[in-house]
Amino acid sequence: MKDLTKRQHEVVLFIQDYLAHHGYPPTIREIGGNFGISVKAAFDHVKALQRKGILKTGESRSRAIEIIHDAFLPKKEGTSVPVLGNVAAGMPLFAEENFDGTLTIPNERLKRGSRYYALQVKGDSMIHAGILDGDFAVIRYHQEAENGDIIVARVGDEAVTLKRFYRENNRIRLQAENPEFPPIYTQDIQVLGILQMIIREYV
Amino acid sequence: MKDLTKRQHEVVLFIQDYLAHHGYPPTIREIGGNFGISVKAAFDHVKALQRKGILKTGESRSRAIEIIHDAFLPKKEGTSVPVLGNVAAGMPLFAEENFDGTLTIPNERLKRGSRYYALQVKGDSMIHAGILDGDFAVIRYHQEAENGDIIVARVGDEAVTLKRFYRENNRIRLQAENPEFPPIYTQDIQVLGILQMIIREYV
DNA sequence: CATTTTACGAAACATAGGTATAGGTATGAA
DNA sequence: TTCATACCTATACCTATGTTTCGTAAAATG
């Protein structure tokens, strides 16, 4: 982003502060009042900040200042996703019994409208992709995968597994990231989601 | 609180939703428009919600609806930690310029009273510990380390680095998790924190 | 050195949007 | 039955607030 001038920075800080205290943004006049400057001066600052991509204002809408630049956005809360057992133990998944607490995810990164869940990884089959035993895998529920995606899939009737997905001529290859685990070739799979995030905790 | 009617509840939900999407509250007319009712009808609902202690509105101030009742306030389940540049680029760290946004962390896992920050990992030196280039490392600020901890340290005057910590007879060994990187032996280090969590995002 | 950007003021303009008046129906309690 | 509240329409009022016009002056930029 273009750099802000001192004054412009002060204005953003005021807007943030006002927002935090009131739950809604200030008017142009309130901004001006705060700095003891004219309406026009305040208006100019807001427009400048808008040009620089910090704010967005509704055209002719009152009190419609929206901070859009990440660095000035208020800290957002997280979204809770259910932890549904683990991959490897396989089995029910999505069954109620299989509920294992929740995990809060920074929701800046999550797409609205998608369903997410988490699984705890068991085993070393993805170790070369930096996915270790015990890691939490945050999965976006989705039925289709593209080559190279790391996905959660049900293979046949039993196992639920986390592998890299490749569609080949007339079969699907599920590739582990560990030479000790041979690829699985199959047609009978159901994609249960795509890996979005890995969260690992150290003691 | 007095119970809300179905309609009133819908109105609060709409206001919450609007707020989440725009960063500022709706006008009375926008509320009315959403439900296909008249301005006055919407106005009445807002006033009713105000009487019941859910909202507060500025007298004659446009778009000045503030949700004040706890149950309808957005709940924050995460803690924001600042992302302070990356490990490898090294350098100031903790300097203001070095601010790179925030990351929200599930606060179930964080100890109260500790200070946390995050760094983005650069390079492959910890690849065998499942820490990849680009991962976010959440660090608990702490000045002492124990053998085997993965820590952030400043070595000498320059480099800030993420390594495994071992105290040996009369020196300290900072061990990478990649055979291509030889261990660093030194006495002149400052521990800047202990790795608590790794967060990796896929696309 | 010319030009653009920043920073500000006074006043006027246009309208978005809070508020009020004057109604209506429906429900449930006193 | 009467009163209160929820819920609604339609129209009007009025002022808070975004925007523009016409200026000045300094600082940054090329």
Side-chain angles (χ1 to χ4, degrees), chain B residues 90-155:
Chain B
M91 290 292 63
L93 208 65
F94 298 122
E96 280 232 24
E97 311 82 64
N98 224 326
F99 182 78
D100 215 5
T102 62
L103 197 63
T104 309
I105 303 302
N107 57 16
E108 303 108 67
R109 330 273 162 170
L110 301 185
K111 287 184 198 149
R112 300 181 148 277
S114 293
R115 273 178 59 205
Y116 291 87
Y117 60 96
L119 298 169
Q120 195 165 19
V121 175
K122 287 287 168 215
D124 292 329
S125 73
M126 294 299 284
I127 204 164
H128 284 180
I131 300 173
L132 310 186
D133 187 65
D135 287 2
F136 288 95
V138 178
I139 311 294
R140 189 175 97 245
Y141 183 74
H142 199 243
Q143 303 265 32
E144 292 136 45
E146 294 186 15
N147 278 340
D149 284 351
I150 297 178
I151 63 163
V152 173
R154 175 180 292 125
V155 182

Side-chain angles (χ1 to χ4, degrees), chain A residues 25-40:
Chain A
T27 64
I28 302 285
R29 262 163 253 260
E30 282 165 348
I31 296 171
N34 178 70
F35 294 100
I37 59 179
S38 70
V39 189
K40 173 59 162 37

Side-chain angles (χ1 to χ4, degrees), chain B:
Chain B
M1 91 179 140
K2 296 219 200 83
D3 283 344
L4 301 186
T5 66
K6 184 152 177 275
R7 199 50 147 178
Q8 285 166 1
H9 197 251
E10 285 171 4
V11 171
V12 187
L13 290 181
F14 171 70
I15 294 172
Q16 287 181 318
D17 195 62
Y18 191 103
L19 218 39
H21 281 75
H22 297 82
Y24 50 84
T27 65
I28 302 285
R29 277 173 178 78
E30 282 166 347
I31 296 170
N34 179 252
F35 295 100
I37 60 179
S38 70
V39 189
K40 176 58 163 37
F43 183 71
D44 285 350
H45 284 128
V46 170
K47 286 299 158 197
L49 287 166
Q50 195 172 359
R51 253 197 338 273
K52 292 185 178 179
I54 312 296
L55 309 175
K56 213 172 80 183
T57 70
E59 337 84 30
S60 293
R61 320 182 77 204
S62 74
R63 213 186 275 277
I65 297 172
E66 187 183 355
I67 297 180
I68 53 173
H69 195 286
D70 278 356
F72 295 97
L73 244 30
K75 52 194 165 211
K76 57 166 62 163
E77 308 176 74
T79 300
S80 292
V81 303
V83 179
L84 301 172
N86 54 58
V87 233
M91 290 292 63
L93 208 65
F94 298 122
E96 280 232 24
E97 311 82 64
N98 224 326
F99 182 78
D100 215 5
T102 62
L103 197 63
T104 309
I105 303 302
N107 57 16
E108 303 108 67
R109 330 273 162 170
L110 301 185
K111 287 184 198 149
R112 300 181 148 277
S114 293
R115 273 178 59 205
Y116 291 87
Y117 60 96
L119 298 169
Q120 195 165 19
V121 175
K122 287 287 168 215
D124 292 329
S125 73
M126 294 299 284
I127 204 164
H128 284 180
I131 300 173
L132 310 186
D133 187 65
D135 287 2
F136 288 95
V138 178
I139 311 294
R140 189 175 97 245
Y141 183 74
H142 199 243
Q143 303 265 32
E144 292 136 45
E146 294 186 15
N147 278 340
D149 284 351
I150 297 178
I151 63 163
V152 173
R154 175 180 292 125
V155 182
D157 252 357
E158 296 240 354
V160 173
T161 185
L162 185 74
K163 293 284 181 300
R164 214 178 269 281
F165 173 93
Y166 296 96
R167 168 166 277 118
E168 299 188 340
N169 295 324
N170 50 5
R171 64 183 184 183
I172 283 161
R173 183 171 104 241
L174 296 178
Q175 180 75 54
E177 291 270 3
N178 181 339
E180 291 173 27
F181 291 76
I184 300 169
Y185 298 101
T186 178
Q187 267 138 350
D188 179 21
I189 85 162
Q190 186 190 359
V191 178
L192 297 177
I194 298 174
L195 179 63
Q196 289 302 123
M197 195 180 289
I198 287 289
I199 295 180
R200 174 155 66 235
E201 291 164 31
Y202 290 85
V203 197

